[in-house]
Amino acid sequence: MELNEYQQLALRTMSDIRRDPEQSLINGALGLTGEAGEVADIVKKHVFHGHELDEQELKKELGDVLWYIACCAKALDMDLNDIAMSNIAKLEKRYPNGFTKEDSLNRKD
């Protein structure tokens, strides 16, 4: 499945708030931060509390993060494929030969 297809399928489960792009953007951004916090909490408990890393739960939470990204993108009339390609272009410019510590320390953007 490609990202735009995922976005269309995910948006079918979005509430009626999607009719107002500003409210959709706020809902998406707040939901994204909440779900990202859940991802961080799973990792924190694994690293610092000695919990087993629950990869299935982490997968679910990462899916929720993606869902909220799709909501934000829709509110801005953007599609996930364009967002992904734009990010790759930025990373290729920043790290033309792949990540290096030196390139990271000497970023020009």
Side-chain angles (χ1 to χ4, degrees), residues 2-9 78-82:
E2 61 130 28
L3 288 172
N4 285 347
E5 182 181 0
Y6 167 84
Q7 185 176 15
Q8 292 307 311
L9 292 171
M78 297 178 184
D79 67 56
L80 291 181
N81 279 345
D82 287 344

Side-chain angles (χ1 to χ4, degrees), residues 8-99:
Q8 292 307 311
L9 292 171
L11 293 176
R12 293 180 328 109
T13 63
M14 207 173 152
S15 70
D16 286 340
I17 199 170
R18 70 180 176 199
R19 293 191 179 116
D20 181 342
E22 184 174 319
Q23 290 295 306
S24 274
L25 181 59
I26 293 167
N27 182 57
L30 294 174
L32 177 58
T33 60
E35 296 299 337
E38 290 188 38
V39 169
D41 196 52
I42 291 169
V43 173
K44 176 198 73 171
K45 287 179 179 175
H46 171 65
V47 173
F48 296 109
H49 299 184
H51 293 214
E52 288 287 323
L53 183 60
D54 188 339
E55 291 184 12
Q56 288 306 306
E57 191 60 28
L58 193 53
K59 183 178 181 179
K60 289 177 189 176
E61 298 304 337
L62 289 170
D64 290 343
V65 167
L66 186 57
W67 189 89
Y68 279 109
I69 290 171
C71 291
C72 289
K74 175 63 176 169
L76 298 167
D77 200 28
M78 297 178 184
D79 67 56
L80 291 181
N81 279 345
D82 287 344
I83 291 169
M85 294 308 297
S86 176
N87 181 253
I88 292 300
K90 176 185 79 173
L91 294 172
E92 286 175 342
K93 182 178 177 186
R94 188 176 289 169
Y95 304 110
N97 300 308
F99 177 83

